[in-house]
Amino acid sequence: MGKKSRKNKGGGGASGEVQQGGAAAAVSTAAASADGAAAPAAGPSSQMLTAQQAINYASDGPSDVELLQTTSTSLQSKLDLLVTLGLADDRAGFVSQFVPLDVSPADAQGYLQDLTTAPEAEGQWRNLVAEIAAIRCGRGVDRIEGDQSRRAVFYFRHPLLEACDREVGFACVGGEWRAEG
């Protein structure tokens, strides 16, 4: 839903291992560290972060890094809501607020099942929540295309996967922001 992935030419994919456990699933520091810098892979005994720790970025003081967030207050509110639902592991609530309005109830239920019971559900869920959290706070966002009143497409570095650029689009229909599908 509304997502595209572009691997950097430098190669690489997921550096960390996913542990089972929903939005609080552990994420290897090889995939991301609390300050956002990629940490070297240290094997199975490496320190683990929860999904919440991976998306809440502690500040180490002033920096020249500028975070790029939406200028739309209504889209920012939607992103805040999605992150709140994601961190609460409310997958049904998240899907009901995320999928495009023209998606049938059966398709929305299928998407929810994919995020709940599919073999890769925990990893997909963790990555989705981390992506929405990253664009919510502007972490790793390179640019935002669209007028941000009817459409916004975020181009950003995946917060957990090394060398993975992402694209997530949102459209506003009748005052309601949803993922582009």
Side-chain angles (χ1 to χ4, degrees):
M1 300 271 152
K3 303 185 309 177
K4 296 179 184 168
S5 180
R6 298 179 319 274
K7 297 281 185 183
N8 286 342
K9 289 184 180 175
S15 303
E17 294 296 320
V18 177
Q19 303 295 320
Q20 300 298 352
V27 178
S28 169
T29 55
S33 66
D35 67 359
S45 64
S46 65
Q47 178 185 3
M48 301 298 278
L49 298 174
T50 66
Q52 187 166 7
Q53 289 169 324
I55 60 175
N56 290 323
Y57 308 104
S59 174
D60 59 357
S63 109
D64 59 358
V65 175
E66 194 171 321
L67 301 178
L68 182 59
Q69 293 179 283
T70 181
T71 57
S72 168
T73 56
S74 60
L75 177 54
Q76 188 66 44
S77 292
K78 175 60 81 165
L79 295 172
D80 292 342
L81 173 63
L82 291 171
V83 169
T84 299
L85 293 168
L87 292 177
D89 200 25
D90 183 353
R91 296 176 196 209
F94 184 98
V95 168
S96 74
Q97 293 294 315
F98 181 71
V99 297
L101 293 171
D102 62 353
V103 168
S104 73
D107 286 343
Q109 184 62 33
Y111 184 56
L112 176 59
Q113 285 183 318
D114 286 347
L115 292 173
T116 307
T117 60
E120 306 87 21
E122 294 306 321
Q124 288 178 351
W125 175 245
R126 184 211 57 195
N127 286 332
L128 178 59
V129 172
E131 288 175 2
I132 299 302
I135 63 176
R136 175 191 151 268
C137 69
R139 178 83 178 181
V141 175
D142 177 55
R143 68 185 184 278
I144 304 170
E145 293 182 355
D147 61 13
Q148 297 186 53
S149 62
R150 292 171 296 174
R151 184 168 186 267
V153 180
F154 295 83
Y155 295 86
F156 61 102
R157 286 185 324 273
H158 194 288
L160 302 176
L161 303 177
E162 196 173 312
C164 181
D165 291 333
R166 299 290 288 154
E167 174 184 330
V168 176
F170 288 89
C172 187
V173 178
E176 179 68 27
W177 284 98
R178 297 299 180 106
E180 288 185 326

